[in-house]
Amino acid sequence: MEVTIKIQKGLRDAYCIVEDADGHSLIYRNHSVATDVFARMQKSANPLPILTRDSQEIGLDWFGVDVTSSRPGRRVLRGWEFTLDGNNDHVQALGFEKESDARRWLSELFGFRL
């Protein structure tokens, strides 16, 4: 599925926001990934800081092949937050009431094994 990537730059860090056509979004607070994606955006012909990519490509590029989260999700405003096994990075899946729906979305779109 094609999704839209945006970069949010703060005072000390940057993070990625990925949105699908249904209004769901993933927030990945990893400064180095966000910096890399922002550099790619600057090289693109698109004048806006937005890219579109296939969600499975993002999953492989940002998280690798076997990304898992064995811990329970944590409820956050408008969604769920998951801690990734191995590197303790956090991802948020927004727009979901149920944790199971958020896990299914992450699995289907980004290839997470949840």
Side-chain angles (χ1 to χ4, degrees):
M1 170 183 280
E2 193 155 285
V3 292
T4 303
I5 305 168
K6 299 177 184 175
I7 301 297
Q8 184 69 41
K9 294 187 80 155
L11 294 174
R12 288 179 271 163
D13 63 349
Y15 57 92
C16 302
I17 301 169
V18 179
E19 299 173 338
D20 72 7
D22 296 329
H24 301 112
S25 58
L26 170 126
I27 296 178
Y28 185 39
R29 298 182 189 280
N30 183 309
H31 182 75
S32 62
V33 169
T35 302
D36 180 55
V37 172
F38 187 74
R40 289 184 208 175
M41 288 177 174
Q42 297 303 307
K43 294 176 185 173
S44 76
N46 188 352
L48 299 174
I50 296 173
L51 284 176
T52 57
R53 282 185 68 192
D54 181 73
S55 59
Q56 291 294 318
E57 290 176 10
I58 292 170
L60 288 172
D61 187 26
W62 294 2
F63 307 111
V65 177
D66 292 323
V67 64
T68 60
S69 177
S70 57
R71 297 177 227 175
R74 182 175 69 93
R75 187 77 169 127
V76 295
L77 184 64
R78 300 180 325 146
W80 292 89
E81 180 176 86
F82 301 97
T83 302
L84 304 180
D85 296 340
N87 61 8
N88 288 325
D89 276 354
H90 299 272
V91 295
Q92 292 179 348
L94 304 181
F96 298 95
E97 286 296 318
K98 296 179 183 177
E99 179 181 358
S100 60
D101 292 341
R103 285 182 178 274
R104 183 173 29 260
W105 182 76
L106 290 170
S107 295
E108 290 173 0
L109 262 68
F110 302 100
F112 284 33
R113 293 186 317 134
L114 302 176

